[in-house]
Amino acid sequence: MRVAIAGGGLAGLACAKYLTDAGHTPILLESRDVLGGLVAAWKDEEGDWYETGLHVFFGAYPNMLQLFKELGIEDRLQWKQHTLIFNQPEKPGVLSRFDVPDIPAPLNILVSILRNNDMLTWEQKFRFALGLWPAIVRGQGYVEAMDKYSLLEWLQRQGVDERVNSDIFIAASKALTFINPEEVSATVPLTALNRFLQERYGSKIAFLDGSPTERLCQPLVDYITERGGEVHLNKPLKAIHLDAAGKVEGFEIRGLAGRPDEVITADAYVSAMPVDVLKVLLPEPWTSLDFFQRLSRLEGVPVINLHLWFDRKLTDVDHLLFSRSPLLSVYADMSNTCREYSDPDRSMLELVLAPAKDWIDRSDEEILAATMAELARLFPQHFGSEQPARLRKAKVVKTPRSVYTAAAGMQACRPTQTTPIPNFFLAGSYTLQEFLGSMEGAVLSGKLAAQAIAQQAEVGSPVTPSQPVVRL
Ligand SMILES: Cc1cc2nc3c(=O)[nH]c(=O)nc-3n(C[C@H](O)[C@H](O)[C@H](O)COP(=O)(O)OP(=O)(O)OC[C@H]3O[C@@H](n4cnc5c(N)ncnc54)[C@H](O)[C@@H]3O)c2cc1C
């Protein structure tokens, strides 16, 4: 079967990869001149990479890790020590670590929490464990039902101390979803926590050894094209054409640089575009269907990714750090964590600014000034002294609509990969799958969409949304 896929992020690329595995021919159409979507990266005039986002991989990413294996590029993941590292706002410059011992889960996580006495008292830990108990014993069903509460509401209902929220969950919520605990659905951090509690190496973190565009997207492109698939840049979907029965009969692609528009036809069609774009391109007859109406509540969340190149080393920490600062979420010194960005003498900090709704429209200068003020608290030894570290150059990448806003009540709006339209499918980390709006979620969604298409081709009949999509 010939399958047209609009969108060349990880979801679209994974969908194309798994379609070629099933013997089909994907035609992938990406609107921009770069693949990867939210993992896209570019080189500046000096040859230094800058990225849409600071990305880390977790041990609890089975589909992503399987994909690396299938592409033969597992050695590109640089696994770090099994620990989570937090800054302490009340002790500037001092780090607090949750070192996870190499023993079976969930004992390893429990020991890491019990051994850390910087952030929580014994009573707070005990009440936290008690509050978490239903999520552990009642499993994912309970976790899904908690979507009606924000994380903060859920913590309050469980009688968990406010310190647990301010010490741990604000940082976790900002890192996972770019929003705060009073907004985020309780389901999202509880899902992540449950995975960490179930898998021995679930919370272990890896960095890619270079830019995602070259080191992850390119091997996917090679894999797809070597097996007869096509990958095209600069091919924005302009309109979805329907036949008399309301099925898709073609993807109209806008002609760029003076080229005429063209219509691409196929046996099946996939949107792997962000939900915000899909909503705008929905054909009018579909907008009355409940399945598509529910999309109206899904919306990408703003986030900002900063790159700061300094004239000296600020830290030798080779890991992700949770800043626990009001402005910033996570950050890393990429000159330590990433082989291709490495520099033995000078730091390159990559930092995520979230929540970013009050910052996304501000100038780069304002954003940089506020970030530097926070860095003075994170690295007092380098910025409080007479000879402060000098910022050599900086790059600010703003994404006004990134992953879907994972607010309370949104789980019910996330669509399945199959739709009421028999030859139209969805992929994207916002679609319903057991992971969050993450790289793992994107890859899994692409795989599920490919499976649904392959299943339909085999059976010869459409897979309706009420039928469960094959589980992996
Ligand atoms: C700052 C930041 C940090 C992050 N950190 C992590 C992390 O550490 N770990 C993690 O797992 N996840 C992280 N994520 C989330 C992760 O990047 C995303 O969940 C994932 O990459 C989404 O992939 P996708 O394919 O679903 O969507 P996208 O990446 O949004 O891909 C959609 C694609 O569709 C294209 N498109 C748009 N319009 C059209 C059109 N009209 N026609 C054709 N194509 C179109 C876009 O250009 C894009 O390439 C982070 C995201 C950001 C922004």
Side-chain angles (χ1 to χ4, degrees):
M1 267 203 334
R2 206 176 126 85
V3 183
I5 303 169
L10 288 177
L13 286 164
C15 182
K17 189 262 176 204
Y18 289 107
L19 282 169
T20 63
D21 285 346
H24 302 292
T25 308
I27 319 292
L28 189 138
L29 308 154
E30 163 59 40
S31 60
R32 301 195 294 176
D33 60 1
V34 60
L35 289 167
L38 295 178
V39 303
W42 303 264
K43 262 186 178 169
D44 71 7
E45 47 292 340
E46 292 174 20
D48 289 319
W49 284 101
Y50 59 99
E51 312 180 327
T52 313
L54 166 60
H55 280 86
V56 297
F57 299 76
F58 285 99
Y61 274 8
N63 296 283
M64 181 59 100
L65 300 189
Q66 176 71 21
L67 179 65
F68 270 79
K69 202 182 269 180
E70 289 165 357
L71 296 171
I73 56 167
E74 283 164 293
D75 59 337
R76 296 186 184 185
L77 283 174
Q78 294 184 247
W79 290 99
K80 306 299 174 189
Q81 233 184 339
H82 199 172
T83 184
L84 295 177
I85 310 178
F86 290 74
N87 277 103
Q88 301 190 73
E90 61 287 356
K91 291 185 200 157
V94 181
L95 300 174
S96 176
R97 299 168 67 103
F98 287 82
D99 291 321
V100 185
D102 196 7
I103 55 175
L107 255 186
N108 58 352
I109 297 290
L110 296 178
V111 170
S112 78
I113 296 172
L114 292 179
R115 282 205 304 220
N116 179 305
N117 292 319
D118 297 328
M119 287 166 65
L120 299 176
T121 64
W122 283 97
E123 194 199 337
Q124 285 160 346
K125 285 179 197 176
F126 180 70
R127 283 171 58 194
F128 175 35
L130 216 59
L132 205 59
W133 196 243
I136 299 171
V137 292
R138 290 167 62 191
Q140 196 56 23
Y142 170 85
V143 168
E144 293 291 334
M146 294 304 105
D147 183 52
K148 56 180 178 281
Y149 301 118
S150 72
L151 175 63
L152 193 60
E153 284 168 343
W154 183 83
L155 289 169
Q156 283 162 353
R157 285 176 63 88
Q158 298 305 109
V160 177
D161 198 283
E162 164 56 27
R163 268 292 298 274
V164 178
N165 181 45
S166 58
D167 280 10
I168 296 181
F169 277 113
I170 295 180
S173 174
K174 276 162 59 126
L176 290 170
T177 60
F178 315 136
I179 54 178
N180 276 322
E182 58 268 27
E183 204 188 340
V184 73
S185 158
T187 298
V188 173
L190 287 178
T191 301
L193 205 62
N194 249 358
R195 292 207 167 265
F196 292 169
L197 286 167
Q198 279 164 21
E199 295 174 36
R200 185 169 182 153
Y201 301 114
S203 55
K204 207 166 182 211
I205 286 175
F207 283 71
L208 194 59
D209 66 355
S211 87
T213 305
E214 268 191 2
R215 305 294 287 169
L216 176 54
C217 297
Q218 192 54 45
L220 275 162
V221 174
D222 296 341
Y223 188 101
I224 295 160
T225 50
E226 280 160 15
R227 288 160 181 78
E230 295 173 25
V231 177
H232 301 280
L233 297 175
N234 301 310
K235 296 276 183 193
L237 180 64
K238 180 181 168 190
I240 301 172
H241 289 194
L242 304 187
D243 64 14
K247 281 170 53 179
V248 183
E249 90 180 346
F251 270 178
E252 183 177 346
I253 303 299
R254 188 185 303 282
L256 299 181
R259 278 193 294 274
D261 294 353
E262 59 183 317
V263 175
I264 304 231
T265 56
D267 303 298
Y269 299 83
V270 180
S271 164
M273 303 179 295
V275 67
D276 307 275
V277 180
L278 173 64
K279 285 192 297 188
V280 175
L281 292 178
L282 277 182
E284 203 279 326
W286 293 358
T287 55
S288 57
L289 300 175
D290 178 54
F291 180 91
F292 292 111
Q293 275 180 356
R294 275 183 281 136
L295 297 183
S296 65
R297 293 187 57 210
L298 293 176
E299 205 175 305
V301 65
V303 67
I304 299 172
N305 201 51
L306 291 115
H307 309 72
L308 306 179
W309 285 267
F310 288 96
D311 65 344
R312 67 175 77 157
K313 271 282 185 215
L314 300 185
T315 174
D316 57 4
V317 176
D318 176 12
H319 218 297
L320 185 76
L321 290 113
F322 293 79
S323 77
R324 293 186 61 222
S325 75
L327 188 73
L328 303 170
S329 168
V330 286
Y331 68 98
D333 188 336
M334 299 297 277
S335 73
N336 301 332
T337 56
C338 172
R339 209 169 290 139
E340 203 183 333
Y341 303 173
S342 81
D343 187 331
D345 304 317
R346 300 179 301 184
S347 286
M348 190 280 252
L349 296 189
E350 200 168 325
L351 312 104
V352 179
L353 190 160
K357 68 176 176 6
D358 297 332
W359 290 91
I360 200 80
D361 294 326
R362 300 217 201 166
S363 69
D364 288 2
E365 290 70 31
E366 271 183 286
I367 293 167
L368 279 173
T371 304
M372 290 300 288
E374 296 229 350
L375 285 190
R377 286 193 283 277
L378 298 179
F379 299 99
Q381 67 279 32
H382 291 293
F383 295 99
S385 61
E386 276 177 13
Q387 281 189 315
R390 189 177 62 81
L391 184 62
R392 290 194 300 121
K393 64 175 175 177
K395 200 92 194 174
V396 178
V397 181
K398 295 179 182 175
T399 306
R401 289 170 190 263
S402 68
V403 292
Y404 81 98
T405 309
M410 286 304 134
Q411 284 293 89
C413 301
R414 295 175 71 189
T416 49
Q417 289 74 33
T418 50
T419 77
I421 313 302
N423 68 345
F424 183 67
F425 300 80
L426 300 178
S429 66
Y430 73 91
T431 62
L432 198 59
Q433 31 78 20
E434 54 204 296
F435 289 85
L436 328 166
S438 62
M439 294 187 287
E440 168 70 10
V443 167
L444 175 56
S445 74
K447 195 176 202 174
L448 289 171
Q451 282 183 346
I453 294 166
Q455 191 180 338
Q456 190 185 96
E458 258 172 47
V459 183
S461 68
V463 184
T464 61
S466 55
Q467 287 176 266
V469 175
V470 188
R471 286 183 70 83
L472 300 161

